[in-house]
């Protein structure tokens, strides 16, 4: 794969990640923001590096594992062809298309099952935690991870 393409994708993904991480954290102390952002940037960078060199199956599993961690999920898997097309979707802006929002410790509770579409086809199915919510930043990070996976895999074709 062309190294300049990977660098451009990484730079744009990291920019989106940084903005997503800092939105909504204005009330937190600067030290907490720096520690959290640096840790998650390192994790995001490692994930992009894995996706850049790994085969599609390995990269998809790595993203699924990262989504479980970031969104506090019970489970997550990739569907190349959607099994249940009626699942609500987690959009690129981090919003979930549901009619009733439930909140818990940590933020918004994701539905029992929600779809996160991947650029280039397919989707991740996310099984939300019944007790731990997700912040807007965490949901934006998740969408950035999946967008980076889709972009990197598309550039390998």
């Amino acid at each position: 794969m062309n190294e300049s393409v990977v660098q451009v994708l990484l730079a744009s993904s990291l920019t989106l990640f940084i903005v997503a991480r800092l939105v909504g954290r204005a009330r937190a102390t600067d030290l907490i923001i720096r520690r959290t952002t640096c840790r998650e940037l390192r994790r995001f960078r490692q994930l992009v590096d894995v996706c850049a060199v790994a085969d599609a199956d390995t990269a998809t599993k790595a993203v699924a594992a990262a989504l479980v961690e970031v969104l506090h999920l019970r489970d997550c898997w990739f569907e190349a062809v959607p099994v249940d097309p009626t699942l609500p979707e987690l959009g690129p802006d981090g919003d979930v298309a549901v009619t009733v929002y439930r909140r818990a410790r940590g933020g918004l509770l994701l539905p029992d099952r929600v779809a996160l579409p991947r650029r280039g086809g397919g989707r991740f199915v996310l099984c939300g935690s019944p007790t731990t919510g997700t912040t807007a930043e965490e949901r934006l990070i998740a969408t950035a991870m999946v967008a980076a996976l889709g972009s990197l895999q598309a550039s390998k074709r």
Side-chain angles (χ1 to χ4, degrees):
M1 177 171 34
N2 187 338
E3 189 174 311
S4 64
V5 171
V6 172
Q7 289 174 345
V8 168
L9 290 172
L10 181 59
S12 62
S13 295
L14 286 175
T15 301
L16 176 61
F17 178 79
I18 291 167
V19 170
R21 219 31 231 150
L22 294 177
V23 169
R25 294 282 184 171
R27 295 182 303 250
T29 65
D30 288 340
L31 182 58
I32 292 171
I33 291 173
R34 278 194 296 257
R35 285 182 186 163
T36 303
T37 301
C38 287
R39 181 179 59 245
E40 290 181 357
L41 279 172
R42 278 194 293 284
R43 180 176 55 207
F44 188 78
R45 172 63 191 248
Q46 291 167 348
L47 182 65
V48 170
D49 288 345
V50 166
C51 291
V53 297
D55 61 272
D57 189 48
T58 302
T60 300
K61 287 178 182 176
V63 170
L67 290 171
V68 167
E69 185 179 339
V70 168
L71 295 174
H72 321 290
L73 302 173
R74 289 180 292 116
D75 199 6
C76 176
W77 63 88
F78 180 76
E79 293 180 341
V81 177
V83 175
D84 180 3
T86 62
L87 293 179
E89 286 191 359
L90 179 62
D93 57 358
D95 285 340
V96 182
V98 293
T99 54
V100 177
Y101 292 94
R102 298 177 301 141
R103 300 191 65 75
R105 179 178 55 94
L108 175 74
L109 282 175
L110 292 176
D112 183 48
R113 296 214 171 146
V114 62
L116 178 52
R118 185 190 71 177
R119 183 181 304 154
R123 68 182 184 180
F124 285 90
V125 176
L126 317 173
C127 297
S129 167
T131 58
T132 305
T134 61
T135 64
E137 298 86 20
E138 290 167 336
R139 293 189 306 276
L140 282 170
I141 291 164
T143 61
M145 288 177 177
V146 173
L149 173 68
S151 296
L152 287 168
Q153 287 184 341
S155 69
K156 289 181 179 181
R157 292 181 193 149

